[in-house]
Amino acid sequence: MTSEVIIDVGQKEISIALLEDKKVVEYQKEPREASFSVGNIYLAKVKKLMPGLNACFVDVGYERDAFLHYLDLGNQFNSFAKYLKQVRSDRKRLYPITKASRLPNTEKEGSVQHVLTPGQEVLVQIVKEPISTKGPRLTAELSLAGRYLVLIPFDDKVSVSSKIKSSAERARLKQLIRSITPKNFGVIVRTVAEGKRVAELDAEMKVLLKRWDELITKVQKAQQLPQLVFEEKGRAVAMMRDLFNPTYENIYINDDEICTAIKHYVSLIAPEKAGIVKKYDGKVPIFDAFDVTKQLKSGFGKTVNYKHGAYLIIEHTEAMHVVDVNSGTRTKKENGQEQNALEANLGAADELARQLRLRDMGGIIVVDFIDMNLAEDRQLLYERMCENMKNDRARHNILPLSKFGLMQITRQRVRPAVDINVEEECPTCFGSGKIKASILFTDQLERKIDNLVNKIGIRKFYLHVHPYVAAYINQGFISLKRKWQIKYGIGVRIVPSQKLAMLQYEFYDSERHFIDMKEENDNH
């Protein structure tokens, strides 16, 4: 299986697509100025105690207060709270964590009002982004994640991933990590650390400890609360940390700055793979060049087609996601309805596993498969679904088919499900239902070019249009594009873009910065 990562860096957002055998299996999109990402750490104040819930609300600067449950304070909260006071009390000299004293663990059955008070300063980390009407979910058990190790302040244990089965390797890693871990820190050794040399693990430990020093220095000097004291790396780099594996063949990026950042990161964790990070310089948009746009348009929406005319209907509700499997126009097999149903269901299991990762669907997912009479067929379907979900990084649980033919899946939810509305509002009529005659579209474009050249003074630019319109503009010995170049003395490049609707257009300057030339009254 070949794996590639395609990163599309726009002015306002970054989109990341993971391709396996040229098929999009994961997709994430995030505004460039996005905050409240999972992993961010804040110095904040307790706003309100909720004894009935045994929890409190904390102000981290979001419109809705964040939620912190007593059980998420962690065993070492008393020690952390005391150390935080020591750090905040002396703004000149930083009190090192290695000298901090340990207090008794918090009680498992304790109560939030015995540990916290309104207005108290706390160090908290986001574990779940704001979803729907809920604010962020917090923990006071801080962790700094690296590629091989996770550093946990005020812990004293070294834990090794349960996926590392070899007892000799587990013992080696535990002994090694204990020898390089300072006092008052604990470590979780991640699966990818298996077989790694001392030098690699020690180098990452130093990086994580440096991050902790920077974080606690910000805590010491913070004036106004809430204060962001540790920010997860940019979405692209953070995803590389969690996703990266040696099987990647290429990572393509259309932005110099982010390309350099990812190349630097990959060279740190896998120097021999630094060459797979490549800058994309093609003329067509990067997602169009790798067939990502088309796959996203066909992969999202209520109805998703897969093999031989069968299709899924996916409904997103507040409480759960519901999926219905339909055989559609499949031709019936000679050996009957049972075989037909099995094939449609197995195909649905393949596509559904991809859709869960692609849309990042979490919570409860209920799937209504086509009814099958044979118990061995139902078991085969369950095993196929489990096998397909092995590559899914999110924690999940799959139950066998119920007697009603329903499969229940739970999947970890840490951020809102990705949903792309593939039924776009018409960009040329803005929902009014009336547009100018299509034949006049190129006249409208020419007016925009005239305005751009003669009023704004931009003489070199890119014009993105639908591929069919681009073909029309470029056709002929003396094409429309050539006529514009002669008439206005300009350097115009026509770029076919699959993300645009038929009569939609976008202008970009020579540095690829978007120029807003749209007016809603264009059509009236």
Side-chain angles (χ1 to χ4, degrees):
M1 180 176 68
T2 61
S3 298
E4 293 181 308
V5 177
I6 315 299
I7 302 176
D8 181 16
V9 182
Q11 275 184 282
K12 294 184 178 177
E13 62 189 17
I14 297 177
S15 302
I16 302 173
L18 172 61
L19 276 61
E20 290 178 357
D21 291 334
K22 305 296 181 185
K23 288 188 78 175
V24 181
V25 292
E26 287 194 32
Y27 174 72
Q28 290 188 23
K29 182 171 70 171
E30 187 169 288
R32 293 191 75 164
E33 69 279 2
S35 55
F36 305 105
S37 292
V38 171
N40 284 1
I41 298 175
Y42 288 83
L43 178 63
K45 281 187 178 179
V46 175
K47 197 164 183 184
K48 187 179 180 184
L49 299 180
M50 303 292 287
L53 297 172
N54 204 15
C56 68
F57 286 106
V58 179
D59 177 16
V60 293
Y62 188 65
E63 57 188 279
R64 289 182 180 273
D65 290 331
F67 183 80
L68 176 63
H69 194 273
Y70 175 82
L71 294 176
D72 292 321
L73 292 176
N75 293 333
Q76 307 298 331
F77 182 76
N78 292 331
S79 304
F80 227 129
K82 180 184 176 185
Y83 176 63
L84 185 60
K85 281 183 183 174
Q86 290 171 319
V87 168
R88 296 285 289 159
S89 63
D90 189 346
R91 299 292 172 92
K92 290 181 181 176
R93 192 176 65 85
L94 182 63
Y95 190 74
I97 190 172
T98 48
K99 291 184 180 177
S101 57
R102 301 288 282 269
L103 295 178
N105 290 359
T106 52
E107 297 174 28
K108 284 190 177 177
E109 303 296 324
S111 180
V112 70
Q113 67 259 45
H114 295 149
V115 180
L116 295 173
T117 54
Q120 181 176 338
E121 291 184 359
V122 284
L123 258 180
V124 287
Q125 188 166 26
I126 293 183
V127 291
K128 189 183 278 190
E129 285 185 16
I131 295 175
S132 187
T133 57
K134 299 171 185 172
R137 178 81 185 254
L138 303 175
T139 181
E141 286 190 283
L142 307 186
S143 61
L144 300 173
R147 170 86 176 133
Y148 307 121
L149 309 172
V150 180
L151 189 69
I152 305 171
F154 275 110
D155 198 0
D156 55 2
K157 295 194 293 289
V158 173
S159 310
V160 179
S161 166
S162 59
K163 290 182 181 176
I164 297 177
K165 302 297 182 189
S166 163
S167 55
E169 178 63 4
R170 294 174 68 84
R172 180 188 81 91
L173 287 169
K174 272 195 176 183
Q175 185 180 3
L176 170 61
I177 297 303
R178 278 206 180 98
S179 69
I180 61 174
T181 305
K183 187 186 171 191
N184 285 339
F185 282 104
V187 175
I188 297 171
V189 182
R190 303 180 80 171
T191 311
V192 288
E194 188 171 8
K196 295 299 175 205
R197 300 190 310 274
V198 182
E200 291 175 275
L201 300 177
D202 188 46
E204 181 158 278
M205 176 66 78
K206 287 188 171 109
V207 169
L208 294 176
L209 288 169
K210 187 183 175 194
R211 272 186 214 161
W212 167 258
D213 290 340
E214 290 169 355
L215 178 162
I216 207 68
T217 304
K218 283 186 183 176
V219 169
Q220 180 195 25
K221 293 182 164 51
Q223 300 288 337
Q224 283 190 318
L225 303 190
Q227 175 86 41
L228 175 64
V229 293
F230 173 75
E231 190 169 13
E232 266 290 3
K233 289 190 174 92
R235 190 75 221 124
V237 178
M239 190 175 178
M240 280 301 99
R241 185 196 68 208
D242 295 335
L243 270 184
F244 185 84
N245 68 61
T247 63
Y248 283 172
E249 295 194 349
N250 296 296
I251 300 171
Y252 290 103
I253 307 147
N254 63 348
D255 179 86
D256 287 314
E257 186 183 335
I258 289 179
C259 183
T260 304
I262 289 181
K263 197 162 207 165
H264 174 68
Y265 181 70
V266 172
S267 64
L268 283 176
I269 61 170
E272 74 284 358
K273 302 293 283 185
I276 68 172
V277 182
K278 298 167 185 172
K279 171 72 168 38
Y280 173 77
D281 288 314
K283 292 182 180 178
V284 299
I286 186 169
F287 272 11
D288 290 7
F290 293 95
D291 200 34
V292 174
T293 308
K294 190 174 181 181
Q295 289 190 54
L296 292 179
K297 297 250 183 184
S298 61
F300 283 88
K302 184 177 173 181
T303 304
V304 178
N305 295 300
Y306 61 100
K307 293 178 183 174
H308 309 302
Y311 59 96
L312 305 177
I313 294 177
I314 302 175
E315 293 275 10
H316 304 282
T317 73
E318 187 71 23
M320 64 174 69
H321 306 279
V322 185
V323 183
D324 186 34
V325 179
N326 291 277
S327 58
T329 57
R330 284 179 60 90
T331 54
K332 289 190 178 178
K333 292 280 179 185
E334 294 174 8
N335 45 355
Q337 175 60 30
E338 183 73 13
Q339 184 65 20
N340 202 52
L342 176 62
E343 288 197 9
N345 284 339
L346 291 177
D350 296 342
E351 181 60 30
L352 180 61
R354 173 176 168 256
Q355 286 290 329
L356 295 182
R357 291 173 69 189
L358 186 60
R359 302 182 187 220
D360 206 6
M361 290 157 63
I364 300 170
I365 301 112
V366 177
V367 191
D368 181 11
F369 285 102
I370 300 166
D371 290 339
M372 296 184 295
N373 297 321
L374 299 178
E376 56 263 37
D377 286 350
R378 294 196 291 272
Q379 180 62 22
L380 187 65
L381 175 60
Y382 170 67
E383 290 171 2
R384 178 78 156 257
M385 195 71 213
C386 292
E387 181 64 28
N388 289 339
M389 293 287 282
K390 275 186 179 176
N391 289 333
D392 197 335
R393 292 175 300 115
R395 287 199 304 273
H396 58 271
N397 192 21
I398 305 168
L399 296 182
L401 286 160
S402 72
K403 64 179 180 180
F404 298 118
L406 301 176
M407 182 181 283
Q408 296 171 67
I409 302 170
T410 60
R411 188 174 180 274
Q412 179 188 24
R413 178 166 73 169
V414 295
R415 57 177 62 87
V418 177
D419 194 19
I420 296 176
N421 184 10
V422 294
E423 295 176 345
E424 304 155 350
E425 181 185 272
C426 173
T428 51
C429 74
F430 300 95
S432 69
K434 293 178 181 177
I435 62 171
K436 286 183 177 179
S438 302
I439 197 70
L440 301 179
F441 178 59
T442 52
D443 294 348
Q444 182 184 343
L445 285 180
E446 187 168 345
R447 284 198 304 275
K448 298 290 180 188
I449 291 170
D450 184 35
N451 195 16
L452 202 62
V453 174
N454 295 321
K455 290 188 179 175
I456 302 176
I458 295 176
R459 307 196 66 79
K460 286 187 177 181
F461 54 86
Y462 296 87
L463 172 57
H464 289 224
V465 288
H466 188 278
Y468 290 175
V469 177
Y472 176 75
I473 292 173
N474 286 319
Q475 73 167 350
F477 177 66
I478 302 182
S479 63
L480 196 54
K481 170 189 165 184
R482 187 76 190 115
K483 288 176 182 174
W484 289 342
Q485 288 174 331
I486 294 167
K487 184 173 179 181
Y488 296 102
I490 53 169
V492 58
R493 288 191 181 178
I494 307 297
V495 180
S497 176
Q498 294 175 9
K499 77 172 184 178
L500 299 180
M502 184 67 79
L503 300 184
Q504 198 176 359
Y505 58 89
E506 289 178 349
F507 284 95
Y508 293 84
D509 65 18
S510 57
E511 300 295 317
R512 300 276 188 173
H513 295 136
F514 177 69
I515 309 168
D516 190 359
M517 297 294 290
K518 291 196 187 76
E519 299 167 24
E520 194 157 325
N521 60 7
D522 275 351
N523 309 294
H524 306 299

